[in-house]
mmCIF file of all heavy atoms in Angstrom:
data_model
loop_
_atom_site.group_PDB
_atom_site.id
_atom_site.type_symbol
_atom_site.label_atom_id
_atom_site.label_comp_id
_atom_site.label_asym_id
_atom_site.label_seq_id
_atom_site.Cartn_x
_atom_site.Cartn_y
_atom_site.Cartn_z
ATOM 1 N N ALA H 157 -16.660 -5.869 -7.471
ATOM 2 C CA ALA H 157 -17.548 -6.599 -6.571
ATOM 3 C C ALA H 157 -17.851 -7.974 -7.162
ATOM 4 O O ALA H 157 -17.821 -8.157 -8.378
ATOM 5 C CB ALA H 157 -18.841 -5.817 -6.358
ATOM 6 N N GLY H 158 -18.135 -8.934 -6.289
ATOM 7 C CA GLY H 158 -18.442 -10.280 -6.744
ATOM 8 C C GLY H 158 -17.249 -11.213 -6.632
ATOM 9 O O GLY H 158 -16.120 -10.787 -6.331
ATOM 10 N N GLY H 159 -17.482 -12.498 -6.876
ATOM 11 C CA GLY H 159 -16.453 -13.511 -6.681
ATOM 12 C C GLY H 159 -15.186 -13.299 -7.476
ATOM 13 O O GLY H 159 -14.073 -13.497 -6.966
ATOM 14 N N VAL H 160 -15.309 -12.864 -8.736
ATOM 15 C CA VAL H 160 -14.132 -12.666 -9.583
ATOM 16 C C VAL H 160 -13.323 -11.454 -9.119
ATOM 17 O O VAL H 160 -12.149 -11.317 -9.443
ATOM 18 C CB VAL H 160 -14.533 -12.548 -11.067
ATOM 19 C CG1 VAL H 160 -13.324 -12.366 -11.969
ATOM 20 C CG2 VAL H 160 -15.298 -13.793 -11.509
ATOM 21 N N ALA H 161 -13.934 -10.586 -8.322
ATOM 22 C CA ALA H 161 -13.210 -9.431 -7.770
ATOM 23 C C ALA H 161 -12.074 -9.871 -6.859
ATOM 24 O O ALA H 161 -11.184 -9.086 -6.539
ATOM 25 C CB ALA H 161 -14.168 -8.520 -7.008
ATOM 26 N N ALA H 162 -12.087 -11.141 -6.436
ATOM 27 C CA ALA H 162 -11.018 -11.670 -5.589
ATOM 28 C C ALA H 162 -9.749 -11.980 -6.385
ATOM 29 O O ALA H 162 -8.697 -12.252 -5.803
ATOM 30 C CB ALA H 162 -11.494 -12.936 -4.876
ATOM 31 N N ASN H 163 -9.852 -11.939 -7.711
ATOM 32 C CA ASN H 163 -8.700 -12.222 -8.569
ATOM 33 C C ASN H 163 -7.654 -11.115 -8.395
ATOM 34 O O ASN H 163 -7.882 -9.965 -8.755
ATOM 35 C CB ASN H 163 -9.160 -12.303 -10.028
ATOM 36 C CG ASN H 163 -8.056 -12.733 -10.982
ATOM 37 O OD1 ASN H 163 -7.042 -12.059 -11.108
ATOM 38 N ND2 ASN H 163 -8.268 -13.832 -11.678
ATOM 39 N N LYS H 164 -6.506 -11.472 -7.845
ATOM 40 C CA LYS H 164 -5.488 -10.466 -7.527
ATOM 41 C C LYS H 164 -4.858 -9.852 -8.776
ATOM 42 O O LYS H 164 -4.439 -8.694 -8.765
ATOM 43 C CB LYS H 164 -4.417 -11.077 -6.628
ATOM 44 C CG LYS H 164 -4.912 -11.418 -5.240
ATOM 45 C CD LYS H 164 -3.779 -11.750 -4.295
ATOM 46 C CE LYS H 164 -4.312 -12.031 -2.898
ATOM 47 N NZ LYS H 164 -5.053 -10.862 -2.344
ATOM 48 N N THR H 165 -4.806 -10.626 -9.854
ATOM 49 C CA THR H 165 -4.285 -10.069 -11.104
ATOM 50 C C THR H 165 -5.214 -8.978 -11.619
ATOM 51 O O THR H 165 -4.762 -7.930 -12.088
ATOM 52 C CB THR H 165 -4.110 -11.172 -12.166
ATOM 53 O OG1 THR H 165 -3.393 -12.270 -11.608
ATOM 54 C CG2 THR H 165 -3.358 -10.645 -13.379
ATOM 55 N N LEU H 166 -6.521 -9.211 -11.512
ATOM 56 C CA LEU H 166 -7.507 -8.191 -11.883
ATOM 57 C C LEU H 166 -7.343 -6.965 -10.993
ATOM 58 O O LEU H 166 -7.330 -5.829 -11.487
ATOM 59 C CB LEU H 166 -8.918 -8.749 -11.758
ATOM 60 C CG LEU H 166 -10.071 -7.753 -11.934
ATOM 61 C CD1 LEU H 166 -10.047 -7.111 -13.312
ATOM 62 C CD2 LEU H 166 -11.420 -8.441 -11.689
ATOM 63 N N GLN H 167 -7.224 -7.166 -9.697
ATOM 64 C CA GLN H 167 -7.055 -6.048 -8.768
ATOM 65 C C GLN H 167 -5.828 -5.210 -9.120
ATOM 66 O O GLN H 167 -5.901 -3.980 -9.198
ATOM 67 C CB GLN H 167 -6.920 -6.580 -7.341
ATOM 68 C CG GLN H 167 -8.154 -7.270 -6.801
ATOM 69 C CD GLN H 167 -7.883 -7.956 -5.469
ATOM 70 O OE1 GLN H 167 -6.771 -7.906 -4.940
ATOM 71 N NE2 GLN H 167 -8.898 -8.601 -4.926
ATOM 72 N N ASN H 168 -4.704 -5.893 -9.334
ATOM 73 C CA ASN H 168 -3.453 -5.181 -9.610
ATOM 74 C C ASN H 168 -3.498 -4.423 -10.931
ATOM 75 O O ASN H 168 -3.109 -3.243 -11.008
ATOM 76 C CB ASN H 168 -2.287 -6.174 -9.620
ATOM 77 C CG ASN H 168 -2.008 -6.756 -8.247
ATOM 78 O OD1 ASN H 168 -2.358 -6.160 -7.228
ATOM 79 N ND2 ASN H 168 -1.384 -7.917 -8.204
#
Side-chain angles (χ1 to χ4, degrees):
V160 181
N163 186 299
K164 292 192 178 301
T165 310
L166 172 61
Q167 295 171 1
N168 292 337

